[in-house]
Amino acid sequence: MKCFKLKALCFCILLTAAVFGQTAKRQLAAKRITSNIKIDGVLDDPDWKGTPVADKFVELRPTPFRVESPDNATEVYFLYNNEGIYVGGYLHEKTKDSVAAELTGRDGFGNNDFLGVVFDTYNDKLNGFEYFVTPLGEQFDAKVSPNNEDFSWNAVWESKSKLQADGWTFEMFIPYAAIRFGKKNVQDWGLNIVRRRQKSGQQLFWQPIDPNVNGFLTQEGLLTGLANMKPPMRLQFSPYLSLYQNYDGTAAKKQYTTTLNGGMDVKYGINQAFTLDMTLIPDFGQVQSDNRVLNLSPFEQRFNENRAFFTEGVELFNKGNLFYSRRIGLEPRFNKFNPRSYEDELVEYPGQAKIINATKISGRTQKGLGIGVLNAVTQKQFATFLDTTTREQYRAENMPLTNYNILVFDQTLKNNSSVSLINTNVWRSGNDYDANVTSALFDLNNKKNTLNIGGNVSFSNIIEQGGKTKTGYAHSVYFGKTSGRFTFNVWQELYNDKYDKSDFGFFNNNNTMDQGLWAGYNWNKPKGWYNQLRVNINGWYSRLVSPIDLLKRKEMMYQNAGINLNFNAQTKKLWWFGLNVNAGPNSHDFYEPRSYGRVFINKGRINANIWWESNSAKKLSWGGSVYAGTGGVFQRKNLDLSFFGKIRFSSKFSVDGSVYASSSKNQSGWAAKIGDTIFFARRNVNSVENVINVKYNFTNRMGLTLRARHYWSKVDPQQFYVLDTYGKLQTPSNPFTRNVKQNYNYLSVDMVYTWQFAQGSFFNVVWKDIGESFNREFEKNYTKNLGNTISGEQFNSLSVRVIYFLDYLTMKRKLKKNNG
């Protein structure tokens, strides 16, 4: 018995030592060379010989801390010279068929194996640069900040890959112009390397990652001894020329127009750490169409940003959630409607503003101070009216000349912590009001990286002409446990009734105080039928800050509350599935009445959702969800179904699509306001959305994509009610006869041919078709409704755009070579 206990004790000691060995920080010495390596994906250059190797990768998924098999060994090498960083590697497999490879275009993960290197050049555990390559030589890259990977960021660097009989090899060259770092003569960079083996569901890292520890960069290794790096001058130009042929069948006068545009993007390295990005006379006409829907809520609909300038390298500006980039040009908050007489007819009313220029400066000093400045100017816009008396047309300003500015200071601290100061400012010419918001943020972690506390304090100012200012206040605070199998977070957010950040940010409503609790538990070690399993529960309570109820009832300070239970898991066959259940008591809705001081008292609700996704590594993958719910004053019945799937015919050709159908019977909602009387309706709302994507890539630099989306939603009121001053619905004394049926269709088609004919240079041909219709009657048959939308009024655009990347140093070397 004593012998058994001794053996058990020795085993525990060895196991503990092994675990600590797995999580110890690994280091790799950088090797300097004086020559240049030809990037061809084959590691036959003499400089690779004798280079220290990063190997013995360790799994994060599906089995944490399991060392990779020798049959699938990973070997990665690093070199550097006066011009940049070289990375090469051999990723072994038992056979070539074990490699997952698909052409998806730049910045697409797809069904690919990949190798990615992560550099934390300031070694601050907060900010990093990622560079990935696939077996077929496609690239994607990202900037890393706490809780965020920004894959919209793009750098210009070289890579090549080559399939081998027992795996694949690759080479990268990352010029210093494509990365930022400090001024020290000798530097140690944070480093990690990630490998994905798609068919086995494995994700492996050179520096082991503990899934129960907060943060990714906090667990990095080191690339040591980078000495005497002298980054060259960073000056790059991307001039463009574009030609558009448009047909607008939606305008009062259907017309064809042809436009020729030209402009330039400029990137200049102010110093080693800071970069200036500028776009002059930008052209965003080829970006993907928005996913428009019928918005029945009292709030603004939020859309994704698809313009590259406003998505790349904006992690600093996104701090504090004060920056909604679509305010610049696409979704301006301020519009005027000022005809000479309200009897005059509207001929043309621009809803967007043309951007004259936009500039951003961002970077981080060696001491961890991040500074970001973004400034954009939009020009005046004019609406056109028809004088009904003289029958002459005239113009009236509907948007002033506007300057948008955001300034950010972000100081990193010990233990993956930071403090920030942010200011946004919107200035408008003429007599229109200006807006300013200032926010101070803090995010602090303890030394063990297990506890986190943070928050912010914000002040907003609406400045009218003459100096009158309305000042608002907001704050948030949170505290939680961030590492371990059990984590939690408690939080509170408050916006007083004068706070308003909507001129540059996205903001639905003020005068609210919300607080809640989130707690979760996870099982990351495979066991039985699952690879990983997670469960969490969260609840919240919301109330007003200042009373607005016309009857001054104290109980009307409460808004709503709820509880959510979530469960999800991955099976051993790499399927995902999950369940969500949420419920809440009666609520006081101060927004649906769309009249200040009024409230709608709604009854409680309960909803449930199940979802699943098959193994995405298969040639045919699919998934879906089923949502059902009930509640509200009319005992609403909801049923939503969604299905999606993808089939890969080859590494070049794939088709994927999705179908979503929603049915809501006996839903309550605002219908109209006539005088001081607010009408609600018991209504049936049905929506259908179909999306199809077709992709064919000729090479890893040339491809054709087609995306088509049709959205249809109809609102059919069944009965009308009057909202009384107590917040309850009553039968109207006089019948409501106004037609408030709604039938909305939105059809968009985006076909894009792109060819990267040189590094950073692109030739794009884009055809876009958009059809949008709204009426008060609707077809019951989906096919007929779609046919009516297709045959209805459309906006068509065919455009050709050429972007040519010019690097100052490359041009200088070529000129020197030609003259020498």
Side-chain angles (χ1 to χ4, degrees), residues 51 78 213 348 470 616 680:
T51 302
F78 291 83
V213 172
E348 184 180 8
K470 182 176 75 172
S616 61
F680 268 58

Side-chain angles (χ1 to χ4, degrees), residues 567-686:
F567 163 86
N568 65 78
Q570 185 192 46
T571 71
K572 290 291 181 65
K573 293 187 177 181
L574 305 184
W575 279 60
W576 284 94
F577 71 94
L579 169 69
N580 166 265
V581 178
N582 66 83
N586 292 358
S587 62
H588 298 160
D589 191 337
F590 295 92
Y591 312 105
E592 187 63 21
R594 306 177 197 205
S595 181
Y596 183 81
R598 301 296 297 275
V599 62
F600 166 52
I601 300 176
N602 206 356
K603 291 188 176 180
R605 77 279 180 190
I606 183 168
N607 309 288
N609 178 61
I610 60 172
W611 59 271
W612 66 94
E613 296 179 11
S614 71
N615 183 352
S616 61
K618 302 293 185 180
K619 287 190 175 181
L620 175 62
S621 59
W622 68 289
S625 67
V626 178
Y627 165 85
T630 186
V633 293
F634 302 124
Q635 289 300 302
R636 161 190 53 84
K637 299 291 189 299
N638 270 79
L639 179 63
D640 297 358
L641 303 174
S642 70
F643 298 95
F644 62 89
K646 179 178 180 179
I647 182 168
R648 290 182 292 107
F649 297 96
S650 68
S651 63
K652 295 183 176 182
F653 180 43
S654 67
V655 177
D656 67 84
S658 64
V659 177
Y660 169 77
S662 172
S663 173
S664 180
K665 293 185 177 181
N666 296 327
Q667 182 189 100
S668 58
W670 181 88
K673 183 178 180 182
I674 302 176
D676 293 329
T677 304
I678 299 172
F679 290 91
F680 268 58
R682 177 175 61 83
R683 63 197 186 188
N684 295 336
V685 180
N686 295 290

Side-chain angles (χ1 to χ4, degrees), residues 22 60 165 261 451 589:
Q22 286 173 325
L60 171 63
N261 303 317
L451 299 176
D589 191 337

Side-chain angles (χ1 to χ4, degrees), residues 177-401:
I179 197 167
R180 301 178 190 177
F181 51 89
K183 297 180 179 180
K184 290 182 180 179
N185 290 331
V186 179
Q187 302 185 31
D188 295 338
W189 289 0
L191 172 69
N192 214 336
I193 313 165
V194 56
R195 177 185 180 183
R196 183 171 82 170
R197 299 184 66 239
Q198 177 72 347
K199 292 184 178 180
S200 66
Q202 287 177 291
Q203 191 175 22
L204 306 104
F205 286 83
W206 170 67
Q207 173 66 49
I209 299 294
D210 186 340
N212 293 318
V213 172
N214 176 40
F216 166 66
L217 294 179
T218 58
Q219 303 182 64
E220 64 198 9
L222 285 175
L223 181 64
T224 62
L226 293 157
N228 299 317
M229 293 188 300
K230 297 179 180 179
M233 181 179 182
R234 292 184 290 133
L235 180 58
Q236 299 163 347
F237 304 92
S238 295
Y240 81 86
L241 189 67
S242 62
L243 177 66
Y244 288 81
Q245 176 69 53
N246 298 329
Y247 169 71
D248 190 354
T250 65
K253 292 184 178 180
K254 298 175 176 58
Q255 57 182 344
Y256 287 93
T257 58
T258 301
T259 57
L260 179 66
N261 303 317
M264 181 183 296
D265 291 345
V266 180
K267 188 182 291 287
Y268 172 61
I270 299 172
N271 55 32
Q272 290 173 306
F274 288 88
T275 301
L276 179 147
D277 292 276
M278 178 180 292
T279 181
L280 305 172
I281 318 177
D283 171 21
F284 301 118
Q286 291 191 334
V287 300
Q288 181 179 298
S289 303
D290 291 327
N291 290 335
R292 300 266 171 185
V293 300
L294 177 62
N295 185 8
L296 296 177
S297 79
F299 305 118
E300 176 186 9
Q301 182 185 354
R302 181 164 188 162
F303 296 102
N304 292 329
E305 177 61 87
N306 295 318
R307 300 171 296 177
F309 182 85
F310 295 109
T311 61
E312 295 178 2
V314 294
E315 69 283 351
L316 276 175
F317 306 113
N318 288 329
K319 284 182 173 288
N321 197 27
L322 301 178
F323 175 53
Y324 181 42
S325 58
R326 288 179 65 104
R327 290 282 180 251
I328 304 172
L330 290 180
E331 307 282 343
R333 189 65 174 171
F334 185 82
N335 285 284
K336 294 183 288 187
F337 187 83
N338 51 358
R340 295 171 186 168
S341 168
Y342 282 98
E343 295 181 356
D344 291 348
E345 297 177 4
L346 177 66
V347 177
E348 184 180 8
Y349 189 83
Q352 300 179 353
K354 184 175 179 59
I355 299 174
I356 300 173
N357 66 66
T359 304
K360 57 189 176 187
I361 299 173
S362 61
R364 191 172 295 273
T365 69
Q366 188 69 48
K367 293 184 178 181
L369 177 61
I371 302 174
V373 181
L374 186 148
N375 197 85
V377 181
T378 59
Q379 70 179 27
K380 287 184 180 181
Q381 300 296 312
F382 294 88
T384 303
F385 296 92
L386 177 67
D387 189 311
T388 54
T389 303
T390 65
R391 309 306 298 174
E392 293 181 352
Q393 290 188 0
Y394 65 92
R395 298 199 312 161
E397 181 185 301
N398 76 309
M399 294 184 211
L401 175 73

